[in-house]
Amino acid sequence: MAFSRRDFIQTAIVSSVALGLPAQEKSASTLPGKRPIMVCANNGYDYLDSAFQFLKQGGDTLDAALRVVKGPEDDPNDDSVGLGGLPNEEGVVELDACCMHGPTRRAGSVGGVRNIKNVSLVSKAVMEHTGHVMLVGEGAERFAVAMGHPRENLLTDRSRKIWLLWKEYHSSNDWWGPGLADPHWKAPSDALPHADLMQDRMRKLHQRAGELGIEPEFRLAAVRRVLFPPTGTIHCSALNDKGEISGCTTTSGLAYKLPGRVGDSPIIGAGCYTDQDVGSAGATGSGEENIKVAGAHTIVENMRHGMSPLDAGMDALKRIVRNYNGDMNRIRFMDMTYYVLRKDGAYAGVSLWQGYSATNPHKIAVHDGTLRAEITVAMFKGSSQEFPLMRDIPPELSKDSEYLK
Ligand code: GLY
């Protein structure tokens, strides 16, 4: 039986309220894993095998991880990263990235970079060619050009049309105003239009996608990106047979963000953290929440103090929940996935919610000689909810719909 979106959310809320934090399987992973090994967000799956071969043949751990994340950066059809990334509210693509090289204990980072596709490589250049750790905005762009990166238009025609669709739809409903963390925040349910009116708006949105020239096969996906602005990102950590470890994270950030908004991805200790003595962790999901718990650093420190990768990741998720005192009315609007790799090869993937939808669970891609995608361990059943809140979304447009995959 298929769960409806609302069933799922209600299940999640009920179980969370009843149990506080749901019991998690205790990690069996006090045991070491295999080396070499690479773990990454699932949008890196297609690039993992060749990067793993490079690592196995003696390639540097950071260069191996960068080979993975460069794939989605170069891909115009991946609208979460690099070329084709969904833009800010003004229609401009702004990218964030960072990296940490375990063996030399160095880091580099760039935030809010326009017109440069491979910001992950620029973050490495900051690490190698400057005395700084982080460059942002125009300075970072000029630095990238000085390092030989070409300026190019990152806004693909498809992403531009999706942005136009979003702008029209949200013309009176945007990211300005108090966020979820504001003590005076109220769920927008009071202001919901009548269900019929909402259904009518959804259908018009779909029709308008067609009028804007979005290809028929991509129209429903475009509607989904308007209704559920993604925070797509890619992280990768790599560990070689000598025990050297590195990590990197890159993103176009939250779709339709305010210009200048920087998320967790370029923040050393939030979107990525690597310590040669302990391990590496990275994050995808609600950047604002992850910055507040310094997620990747928290996880690595947890492992330093003896926690398994799974427990270390779950603990960071608990801190996000704690920041909202377990208020599921707010927590349902955020999501987070952590990718955790310990220096001995043990690893874990953990998520706040089970997936993007009932049939599309969060996954971690792993290569330790065998390439695979594994479903993450989730703290709560179900999927996070769209923000702003919408009720009575027609089934064919609901986030749980197979049709929108
Ligand atoms: N985690 C990506 C972002 O929030 O920007």
Side-chain angles (χ1 to χ4, degrees):
M1 186 192 79
F3 265 125
S4 75
R5 175 165 185 74
R6 188 174 300 171
D7 288 341
F8 234 37
I9 288 161
Q10 282 177 351
T11 307
I13 292 169
V14 168
S15 62
S16 317
V17 168
L19 299 178
L21 293 177
Q24 290 296 317
E25 268 176 56
K26 279 287 155 197
S27 170
S29 182
T30 46
L31 301 171
K34 286 167 97 176
R35 293 196 314 210
I37 180 172
M38 297 180 74
V39 298
C40 68
N42 203 37
N43 50 342
Y45 185 95
D46 290 346
Y47 311 97
L48 201 46
D49 192 45
S50 74
F52 181 80
Q53 301 314 326
F54 168 82
L55 180 69
K56 208 172 154 192
Q57 285 156 20
D60 177 72
T61 47
L62 180 55
D63 289 336
L66 288 167
R67 281 178 180 226
V68 174
V69 304
K70 185 176 181 297
E73 280 182 343
D74 288 340
D75 180 0
N77 293 316
D78 187 320
D79 60 17
S80 69
V81 179
L83 177 65
L86 286 171
N88 67 20
E89 67 170 13
E90 293 177 349
V92 179
V93 180
E94 289 182 335
L95 305 178
D96 304 330
C98 79
C99 66
M100 290 194 83
H101 187 242
T104 57
R105 297 176 188 273
R106 289 182 300 168
S109 162
V110 287
V113 182
R114 300 179 173 194
N115 305 315
I116 306 290
K117 178 175 63 175
N118 296 123
V119 282
S120 60
L121 298 180
V122 183
S123 75
K124 185 188 175 203
V126 171
M127 180 184 91
E128 288 186 328
H129 296 286
T130 79
H132 305 309
V133 168
M134 187 170 199
L135 295 178
V136 299
E138 204 188 317
E141 180 182 337
R142 286 210 301 265
F143 169 76
V145 171
M147 289 291 114
H149 289 263
R151 277 197 177 95
E152 55 192 302
N153 177 17
L154 303 180
L155 188 64
T156 56
D157 209 38
R158 186 187 286 157
S159 287
R160 182 184 63 77
K161 287 172 181 166
I162 295 172
W163 166 74
L164 270 180
L165 192 63
W166 170 84
K167 201 152 172 64
E168 291 182 11
Y169 184 73
H170 285 92
S171 57
S172 62
N173 197 0
D174 55 31
W175 286 96
W176 292 101
L180 288 171
D182 188 287
H184 305 299
W185 182 85
K186 284 197 179 67
S189 52
D190 293 342
L192 285 175
H194 188 271
D196 289 347
L197 179 58
M198 182 55 82
Q199 296 213 0
D200 189 48
R201 287 173 72 185
M202 300 296 149
R203 293 211 170 83
K204 284 189 180 140
L205 188 57
H206 189 251
Q207 185 187 330
R208 187 70 190 120
E211 289 163 6
L212 282 169
I214 295 174
E215 310 93 302
E217 68 277 14
F218 202 70
R219 234 165 258 169
L220 281 167
V223 172
R224 181 180 174 172
R225 280 156 178 71
V226 170
L227 297 179
F228 316 114
T231 54
T233 299
I234 178 164
H235 165 81
C236 185
S237 287
L239 172 69
N240 68 14
D241 53 4
K242 291 184 277 186
E244 294 170 340
I245 190 163
S246 295
C248 58
T249 301
T250 180
T251 190
S252 53
L254 175 65
Y256 327 124
K257 60 195 172 186
L258 303 188
R261 178 264 191 189
V262 170
D264 59 325
S265 301
I267 307 297
I268 302 291
C272 180
Y273 193 74
T274 305
D275 186 312
Q276 182 53 47
D277 296 335
V278 180
S280 184
T284 59
S286 309
E288 280 73 8
E289 306 313 325
N290 192 35
I291 290 172
K292 289 187 287 184
V293 299
H297 182 264
T298 293
I299 291 167
V300 171
E301 289 310 295
N302 283 342
M303 291 196 289
R304 189 193 306 279
H305 297 298
M307 280 191 198
S308 70
L310 177 63
D311 291 343
M314 294 306 289
D315 178 70
L317 293 175
K318 281 182 200 167
R319 293 184 190 204
I320 292 174
V321 174
R322 173 66 184 90
N323 277 347
Y324 289 92
N325 293 319
D327 178 357
M328 298 310 292
N329 194 37
R330 294 176 194 235
I331 293 161
R332 63 185 165 146
F333 293 116
M334 57 193 75
D335 204 354
M336 182 59 56
T337 296
Y338 289 122
Y339 310 84
V340 190
L341 179 58
R342 201 168 59 191
K343 197 187 162 184
D344 63 3
Y347 67 92
V350 299
S351 303
L352 192 60
W353 294 96
Q354 281 177 312
Y356 302 104
S357 69
T359 51
N360 190 9
H362 290 306
K363 290 181 188 150
I364 181 172
V366 183
H367 204 327
D368 58 4
T370 307
L371 174 62
R372 57 195 182 272
E374 296 179 2
I375 293 173
T376 59
V377 176
M379 176 164 278
F380 297 121
K381 283 185 186 166
S383 51
S384 62
Q385 197 166 358
E386 65 279 5
F387 181 80
L389 182 65
M390 292 176 202
R391 194 181 280 166
D392 300 312
I393 293 172
E396 73 275 17
L397 290 176
S398 106
K399 195 176 170 187
D400 288 342
S401 167
E402 267 299 322
Y403 202 32
L404 286 183
K405 299 283 147 46

